[in-house]
Amino acid sequence: PAPPPAVLRVPALQPTDWPAPPGGGRAEPPPSASDAREMALLAYFGALPRGVRGLPPSSRGYASAPWQAAISRLLREPPLAARLSELEVRLLHQPPLPEGELLRSLNAAVVGLAARGGEGEADECLGLGIVRAVDPASESLLLVTPVPPAALARAAVLLRGSLELPVALLQPTPLTPASPYLGANALRGAGAGNKQMRSRNNIKRASTPRG
């Protein structure tokens, strides 16, 4: 079997010495682990406002001028076109999909861009990208990525894992309407039954006395 692809290390935020707000006052608590990961991903794509210490508590916060400017800056990036026939698509942490659904599964997805490794070597992950749109008729996709063109020319493998698109990039902007992937007053997690069940092996089962 082929060796697993190399893992791309996205620079993480370091909230250990979280700065105090200007002018003194009580320092804000650092973001949660999930928020820190989302902020690191936004920073990687250049869509994190300067000086932001956390994600907005609700979707209304993304309508502020700093967030709109940062998100619009990413939206103005010209995408790159690629044909699916020129790339090998690998689905990670999920079963294979029918050929007709593979392209649709990449729409609005965060993907890894990898170069093939030599014989006996792991593939090299060059960076991450966002699939802006897909065209099933021509079997092509539009991709936005900060990977330099020289490195991008080596990309031959598209890695589709479980990394989710940040919610900030699904919000309405002056350039785009609200994403169709967002729903108002929608249930998440267990309430909607849309997530896999987690095994709770740490819970002891009550023993049944034997008669």
Side-chain angles (χ1 to χ4, degrees), residues 127-199:
L128 301 176
I130 297 176
V131 179
R132 284 281 303 272
V134 298
D135 184 4
S138 62
E139 293 191 344
S140 60
L141 52 85
L142 297 180
L143 189 73
V144 177
T145 177
V147 177
L152 194 61
R154 301 168 50 211
V157 182
L158 207 64
L159 305 173
R160 173 69 167 96
S162 56
L163 199 59
E164 297 181 355
L165 190 70
V167 176
L169 303 183
L170 299 175
Q171 304 299 323
T173 70
L175 303 176
T176 57
S179 171
Y181 296 101
L182 287 179
N185 301 322
L187 295 175
R188 294 186 61 185
N194 63 346
K195 286 193 175 182
Q196 62 184 6
M197 295 181 62
R198 296 184 178 180
S199 176

Side-chain angles (χ1 to χ4, degrees), residues 206-211:
S207 59
T208 303
R210 297 180 179 179

Side-chain angles (χ1 to χ4, degrees), residues 65-160:
W67 276 103
Q68 288 291 301
I71 298 172
S72 297
R73 185 167 56 247
L74 176 61
L75 293 176
R76 290 189 178 95
E77 287 290 330
L80 305 171
R83 291 187 177 276
L84 197 62
S85 59
E86 299 174 354
L87 296 170
E88 177 188 354
V89 179
R90 297 181 188 172
L91 300 179
L92 311 177
H93 321 301
Q94 54 186 307
L97 292 175
E99 186 175 353
E101 299 180 8
L102 181 60
L103 190 62
R104 293 183 178 89
S105 71
L106 299 175
N107 193 28
V110 179
V111 295
L113 306 170
R116 298 185 189 278
E119 185 176 355
E121 297 180 354
D123 294 343
E124 177 188 359
C125 190
L126 306 171
L128 301 176
I130 297 176
V131 179
R132 284 281 303 272
V134 298
D135 184 4
S138 62
E139 293 191 344
S140 60
L141 52 85
L142 297 180
L143 189 73
V144 177
T145 177
V147 177
L152 194 61
R154 301 168 50 211
V157 182
L158 207 64
L159 305 173
R160 173 69 167 96

Side-chain angles (χ1 to χ4, degrees), residues 12-67:
L13 298 177
Q14 302 296 332
T16 52
D17 297 323
W18 208 244
R26 186 177 180 180
E28 298 179 7
S32 64
S34 60
D35 285 359
R37 288 192 296 269
E38 189 162 338
M39 291 170 65
L41 192 58
L42 288 169
Y44 175 80
F45 287 108
L48 185 69
R50 186 183 300 273
V52 165
R53 295 183 174 89
L55 297 177
S58 68
S59 59
R60 296 179 181 177
Y62 294 108
S64 64
W67 276 103

